[in-house]
């Protein structure tokens, strides 16, 4: 069954360099969930789920690229991988941190403490956030959302090494990933039940050791798709019943408001549900129409801007609150301001570094026109999807 499905699927099961249809659309939906929640609908829109989706697709994509690199080049070039990550993410981050600091100071609103500034640029905002909250304070700058970037970068400091240590194409890598998926929720249970001097809700939401399983679920999907053992497992996970079950799990996660569930088990269940839904998105023909929706140009465009939008929407929203009364005008200024500065960041700050990334192994090719009958081999990598 699975071989038949993969022979006609829009994505090869084996990890290869190539454009992944729908991924920009998923990014767009994820960032919209986050922004809409932050813009005042947090009680109706699960903003934290948008971050969990970002984690999952990041794990899925980066693992697929690393597997493709190991297959085509014989090994993972760790130095080049780390340089690509820095060149991809750091220019926009520096622009946001330095730029928003200058805006706040220039508008007479004050500025960040030195440690807060260093945490933002040094990828330890999550640690800083938990530490200051444990002391009964709140950070000054609206950079709380940078905790998720810290989690991702901490994970990717060690994940390529994990792949090398456990064997890039060995089954023991799968066991290592599954071990993490089992241990991390147990660790959250321990912290939730034991920690008294730390804000445990913030800890379990933002700290790397408590959230890496949201990334690992995506990593595991890429690794399992690339392995020969996938046939029997995926036969059970592809179809309407798994899709309905995964959707029901997500609805349960949104509906249950019990704090112990939300900060211990919720992330594990959401990761498992995303595993099933993303698998079916690419390998279950009856739902393949959804890829056409995800490839609509407004979603693709928004997906390309998702990183600078994520970085800038919170500072722009905070500034609009400081100078305007809450209402439609204030919200409009925040939306237009976030989009405008994100477009500037994407085209004038991030894009100039794409050539440099290519020197260190990034495969940068323009996104092709997508048709529903296009074979996987005809799809080429997209600059927004490269590591």
């Amino acid at each position: 069954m699975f071989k038949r499905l993969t022979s006609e699927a829009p994505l090869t099961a084996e990890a290869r360099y190539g454009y992944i249809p729908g991924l920009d659309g998923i990014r767009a939906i994820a960032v919209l969930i986050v922004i809409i929640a932050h813009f005042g609908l947090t009680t109706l829109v699960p903003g934290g789920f948008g971050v969990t989706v970002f984690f999952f697709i990041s794990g899925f994509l980066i693992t697929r690229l690393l597997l493709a690199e190991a297959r085509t080049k014989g090994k993972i070039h760790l130095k080049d991988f780390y340089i690509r990550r820095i060149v991809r993410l750091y220019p926009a981050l520096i622009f946001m941190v330095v730029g928003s600091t200058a805006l706040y100071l220039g508008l007479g609103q004050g500025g960040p403490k030195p440690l807060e500034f260093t945490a933002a640029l040094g990828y330890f905002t999550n640690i800083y956030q938990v530490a200051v909250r444990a002391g009964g304070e709140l950070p000054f700058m609206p950079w709380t959302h940078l905790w998720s970037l810290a989690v991702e970068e901490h994970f990717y400091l060690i994940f390529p090494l994990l792949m090398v240590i456990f064997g890039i194409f060995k089954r023991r890598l799968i066991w290592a990933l599954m071990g993490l998926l089992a241990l991390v929720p147990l660790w959250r249970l321990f912290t939730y039940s034991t920690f008294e001097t730390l804000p445990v809700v913030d800890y379990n939401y933002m700290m790397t050791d408590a959230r890496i399983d949201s990334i690992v679920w995506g990593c595991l999907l890429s690794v399992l798709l690339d392995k020969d053992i996938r046939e029997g497992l995926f036969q059970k996970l592809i179809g309407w019943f798994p899709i309905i079950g995964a959707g029901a799990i997500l609805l349960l996660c949104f509906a249950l408001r019990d704090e112990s569930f939300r900060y211990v088990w919720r992330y594990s269940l959401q990761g498992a549900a995303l595993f099933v839904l993303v698998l079916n998105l690419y390998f279950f023909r009856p739902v393949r129409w959804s890829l056409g929706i995800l490839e609509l140009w407004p979603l693709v465009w928004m997906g390309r801007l998702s990183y600078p939008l994520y970085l800038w929407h919170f500072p722009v929203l905070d500034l609009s609150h400081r100078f305007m009364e809450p209402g439609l005008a204030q919200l409009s200024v925040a939306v237009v301001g976030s989009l405008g500065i994100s477009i500037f960041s994407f085209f004038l700050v991030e894009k100039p570094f794409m050539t440099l990334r290519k020197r260190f192994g990034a495969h940068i090719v323009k996104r092709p026109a997508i048709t529903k009958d296009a074979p996987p081999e005809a799809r080429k990598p997209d600059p927004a999807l490269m590591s």
Side-chain angles (χ1 to χ4, degrees):
M1 172 185 172
F2 189 68
K3 288 181 179 178
R4 175 174 58 81
L5 291 171
T6 55
S7 66
E8 57 190 30
L11 182 72
T12 60
E14 181 184 84
R16 300 180 187 178
Y17 293 122
Y19 180 73
I20 302 179
L23 213 60
D24 274 325
I26 297 173
R27 279 194 180 101
I29 292 170
V31 78
L32 286 173
I33 289 173
V34 173
I35 291 174
I36 291 171
H38 285 166
F39 277 29
L41 294 177
T42 186
T43 57
L44 298 176
V45 179
F49 178 65
V51 177
T52 300
V53 173
F54 272 124
F55 282 159
F56 183 94
I57 61 175
S58 178
F60 177 73
L61 173 63
I62 295 297
T63 303
R64 186 173 175 88
L65 291 172
L66 288 172
L67 289 169
E69 179 179 352
R71 179 170 284 112
T72 57
K73 299 179 182 179
K75 66 176 183 178
I76 295 172
H77 296 269
L78 294 176
K79 183 190 73 172
D80 290 350
F81 171 78
Y82 293 131
I83 291 175
R84 290 197 304 269
R85 293 295 293 175
I86 291 171
V87 174
R88 168 69 182 91
L89 299 175
Y90 219 51
L93 178 64
I94 293 174
F95 176 56
M96 191 283 290
V97 172
V98 175
S100 60
T101 298
L103 276 174
Y104 273 70
L105 290 172
L107 294 171
Q109 299 301 300
K113 296 179 180 178
L115 186 57
E116 185 178 16
F117 186 87
T118 305
L121 290 179
Y123 289 111
F124 62 93
T125 290
N126 56 344
I127 300 172
Y128 175 80
Q129 293 279 338
V130 172
V132 296
R133 289 164 192 261
E137 301 178 26
L138 287 176
F140 175 77
M141 294 296 290
W143 295 339
T144 303
H145 60 310
L146 298 185
W147 72 267
S148 64
L149 302 186
V151 171
E152 283 202 30
E153 293 316 299
H154 297 167
F155 182 76
Y156 290 122
L157 277 175
I158 61 172
F159 180 61
L161 295 174
L162 187 73
M163 294 182 73
V164 172
I165 292 170
F166 284 91
I168 298 168
F169 300 110
K170 303 293 185 181
R171 291 194 182 191
R172 57 177 176 262
L173 175 61
I174 297 174
W175 287 110
L177 294 175
M178 293 178 66
L180 282 172
L181 293 178
L183 289 174
V184 173
L186 293 178
W187 172 245
R188 283 197 296 265
L189 177 62
F190 174 79
T191 59
Y192 188 84
S193 305
T194 306
F195 285 4
E196 296 181 357
T197 59
L198 288 176
V200 69
V201 166
D202 294 318
Y203 188 100
N204 279 8
Y205 184 67
M206 290 192 284
M207 289 296 282
T208 304
D209 54 336
R211 289 305 306 273
I212 58 171
D213 55 332
S214 296
I215 304 176
V216 173
W217 277 109
C219 300
L220 182 65
L221 179 57
S222 276
V223 172
L224 286 176
L225 281 171
D226 194 67
K227 302 301 178 188
D228 294 332
I229 65 171
R230 59 187 175 238
E231 182 85 20
L233 172 66
F234 289 152
Q235 279 184 349
K236 298 180 177 65
L237 295 180
I238 293 176
W240 287 116
F241 284 118
I243 290 174
I244 293 170
I249 287 173
L250 288 182
L251 290 176
L252 176 70
C253 291
F254 300 150
L256 278 180
R257 311 307 295 175
D258 177 72
E259 189 177 89
S260 62
F261 170 80
R262 288 173 57 76
Y263 294 103
V264 175
W265 307 113
R266 172 177 49 150
Y267 310 120
S268 297
L269 291 175
Q270 287 178 346
L274 287 171
F275 183 102
V276 173
L277 292 174
V278 172
L279 174 67
N280 279 273
L281 175 67
Y282 292 109
F283 299 108
F284 187 44
R285 176 178 281 276
V287 300
R288 201 165 299 162
W289 56 268
S290 56
L291 283 176
I293 296 175
L294 293 171
E295 283 292 311
L296 292 173
W297 74 263
L299 284 177
V300 171
W301 182 76
M302 184 69 71
R304 300 282 179 83
L305 290 179
S306 60
Y307 180 49
L309 265 176
Y310 184 77
L311 289 175
W312 275 102
H313 80 278
F314 218 29
V316 173
L317 178 63
D318 183 69
L319 279 174
S320 70
H321 277 304
R322 289 170 181 261
F323 289 97
M324 301 179 69
E325 292 293 327
L328 183 60
Q330 175 263 326
L331 188 62
S332 300
V333 168
V335 171
V336 173
S338 298
L339 277 173
I341 201 164
S342 297
I343 292 170
F344 179 92
S345 176
F346 180 75
F347 285 102
L348 298 180
V349 178
E350 298 173 60
K351 270 205 165 186
F353 287 90
M354 287 184 179
T355 302
L356 179 59
R357 289 171 55 218
K358 190 174 180 180
R359 289 177 53 189
F360 294 96
H363 290 246
I364 300 177
V365 181
K366 290 184 178 180
R367 170 179 173 265
I370 301 298
T371 63
K372 64 179 181 180
D373 299 321
E377 292 77 7
R379 304 177 187 276
K380 296 181 179 180
D382 181 275
L385 299 180
M386 295 300 96
S387 62

